């Protein structure tokens, strides 16, 4: 199961489009006002609730509806990736993807890449 | 405010071996402002510890609580009778007050307390005060040479001051360059003629832990003594 925190401006429309196209049954989408509003504890709790990976989906850099939310989220995702490795999970569990609202293919590719990485490391996705 | 930064997670995990019940204690004062030990950070650490425990089968019971100010016992009543391990996300002061308040608990630090400073920009915190106990910033344009000069010089810059920067680091402005420019702006360059004598460090850390008593606030009998009453 991959949990995707999608910002309401870009991430959510792209994710819904990709979900409509099918093939993403293991994806859970959570809408957030901005990718930058996703807190560390929320991501870590998702893992406790059974997520195999967490994808933070936000606007393109420098095109964020909240100016620098997407940038904050990108930095936070790097910190979280290190944190979950310190906790004992394999790498590639947290990632950030920047996209525009019509780029459902980019969303799908990010999910598939994360799924592949997790499987490579011996986990389930 | 007091500036702190989060300890690396592996270090915190290392301190928790043999624990059973863990409480991550956040503080809404200084460490919350410097984004090291507030409610969000405490919740994040709590979730991380719980996840680690589940993955490794440690059997920890992890909870989190954030108090208004961990350095005042009045705010620590929710901890009454707690006998487990407290991971303190408050500064070193808070951690020690928590340990005093609950001698049966074991307090471990979740942050490294660094200095007394202020935010310079988003996410950047700079030391401003060294707590030397004898303030002289009226002579130095409101800029503390003790805390902000690498050598704590009192009467002008050293030869390492280059283009407004300290030789110690390119990110550190020379405090004396700032002082002189600030005095120039305010037309108080005459203050540079005031010879600041060698500092009496007895008011600083050199005399052991310092004790400050505010006579006005002393309660009851102690206050009578101060008034000269029997």
């Amino acid at each position: 199961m991959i949990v995707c925190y999608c910002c309401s401006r870009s991430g959510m429309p792209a994710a819904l489009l990709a979900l409509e196209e099918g093939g993403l049954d293991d994806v859970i989408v959570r809408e957030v006002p901005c990718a930058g509003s996703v807190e560390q504890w929320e991501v870590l709790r998702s893992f406790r609730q059974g997520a195999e990976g967490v994808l933070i989906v936000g606007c393109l850099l420098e095109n964020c509806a909240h100016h620098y939310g997407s940038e904050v989220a990108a930095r936070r995702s790097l910190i979280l990736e290190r944190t979950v490795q310190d906790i004992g999970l394999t790498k590639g569990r947290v990632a950030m993807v920047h996209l525009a609202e019509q780029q459902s293919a980019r969303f799908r590719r990010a999910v598939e890449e994360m799924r592949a990485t997790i499987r490579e490391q011996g986990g389930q996705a | 405010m007091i500036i702190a930064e989060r300890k690396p997670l592996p270090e915190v995990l290392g301190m928790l071996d043999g624990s059973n019940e863990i409480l991550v204690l956040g503080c809404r004062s200084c460490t919350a402002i410097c984004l090291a030990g507030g409610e969000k950070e405490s919740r994040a650490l709590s979730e991380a510890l719980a996840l680690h425990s589940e993955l490794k089968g440690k059997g920890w019971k992890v909870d989190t609580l954030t108090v208004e100010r961990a350095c005042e016992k009045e705010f620590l009543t929710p901890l009454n009778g707690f006998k487990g391990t407290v991971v303190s996300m408050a500064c070193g002061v808070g951690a020690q007050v928590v340990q005093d308040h609950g001698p049966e608990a074991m307090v471990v630090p979740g942050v490294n307390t660094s200095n007394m400073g202020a935010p310079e920009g988003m996410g950047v915190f700079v030391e401003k005060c060294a707590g030397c106990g004898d303030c002289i910033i009226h002579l130095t344009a409101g800029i503390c040479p003790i805390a902000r000069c690498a050598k704590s010089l009192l009467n002008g810059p050293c030869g390492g001051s280059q283009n407004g920067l300290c030789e110690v680091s390119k990110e550190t402005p020379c405090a004396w360059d700032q002082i002189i420019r600030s005095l120039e702006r305010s037309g108080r360059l005459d203050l540079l003629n005031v010879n600041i004598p060698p500092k009496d460090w007895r008011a600083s850390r050199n005399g052991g832990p310092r004790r400050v008593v505010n006579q006005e606030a002393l309660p009851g009998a102690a206050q009578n003594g101060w008034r000269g009453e029997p």
Side-chain angles (χ1 to χ4, degrees), chain B residues 23-207:
Chain B
L23 179 71
V24 181
L25 183 76
C27 178
R28 282 202 188 92
S29 294
C30 310
T31 54
I33 308 300
C34 64
L35 311 174
E39 192 158 9
K40 286 177 184 175
E41 294 79 18
S42 303
R43 285 182 87 168
L45 181 62
S46 158
E47 292 293 338
L49 295 179
L51 184 57
H52 180 77
S53 170
E54 284 163 21
L55 284 171
K56 306 285 176 187
K58 300 259 184 187
W60 293 339
K61 185 173 169 281
V62 187
D63 204 355
T64 181
L65 168 76
T66 304
V67 294
E68 207 58 38
R69 265 194 301 284
C71 56
E72 287 191 59
K73 283 184 182 175
E74 286 79 359
F75 293 106
L76 297 176
T77 44
L79 268 80
N80 287 353
F82 183 75
K83 290 177 184 164
T85 306
V86 178
V87 182
S88 167
M89 300 293 275
C91 65
V93 182
Q96 293 180 56
V97 174
V98 171
Q99 184 67 84
D100 271 355
H101 180 78
E104 287 169 327
M106 187 182 88
V107 178
V108 299
V111 298
N112 288 325
T113 309
S114 173
N115 60 66
M116 285 185 278
E120 198 181 58
M122 280 177 69
V124 182
F125 305 93
V126 181
E127 182 167 14
K128 299 281 185 192
C129 175
C132 70
D134 181 18
C135 197
I136 49 142
I137 61 167
H138 59 294
L139 299 172
T140 56
I143 294 165
C144 175
I146 302 291
R148 294 164 70 176
C149 168
K151 293 176 179 168
S152 297
L153 294 179
L154 289 172
N155 288 291
C158 69
S161 174
Q162 300 288 323
N163 303 319
L165 295 174
C166 176
E167 63 181 343
V168 169
S169 157
K170 286 202 167 25
E171 287 182 353
T172 308
C174 168
W176 272 101
D177 184 82
Q178 290 180 312
I179 290 168
I180 291 166
R181 280 176 203 283
S182 179
L183 287 174
E184 201 174 11
R185 269 199 304 276
S186 56
R188 296 299 316 274
L189 276 174
D190 57 301
L191 282 175
L192 289 176
N193 291 325
V194 178
N195 182 24
I196 304 174
K199 197 163 183 65
D200 179 357
W201 288 102
R202 280 174 301 181
S204 183
R205 275 284 302 133
N206 299 35

Side-chain angles (χ1 to χ4, degrees), chain A residues 39-42 44-49 68 72 75-76 79 82-84 86-89, chain B residues 6 8-10 13 39-40 43-56 122:
Chain A
E39 296 292 346
Q40 290 192 17
W41 67 268
E42 288 177 284
L44 294 167
R45 180 163 286 180
S46 300
F47 283 107
R48 285 184 67 200
Q49 289 170 338
Y68 47 76
V72 168
R75 284 199 294 268
R76 193 170 284 154
I79 293 170
R82 273 203 305 275
T83 304
V84 295
D86 286 340
I87 290 169
L89 288 168
Chain B
R6 288 168 72 171
L9 191 56
L13 292 173
E39 192 158 9
K40 286 177 184 175
R43 285 182 87 168
L45 181 62
S46 158
E47 292 293 338
L49 295 179
L51 184 57
H52 180 77
S53 170
E54 284 163 21
L55 284 171
K56 306 285 176 187
M122 280 177 69

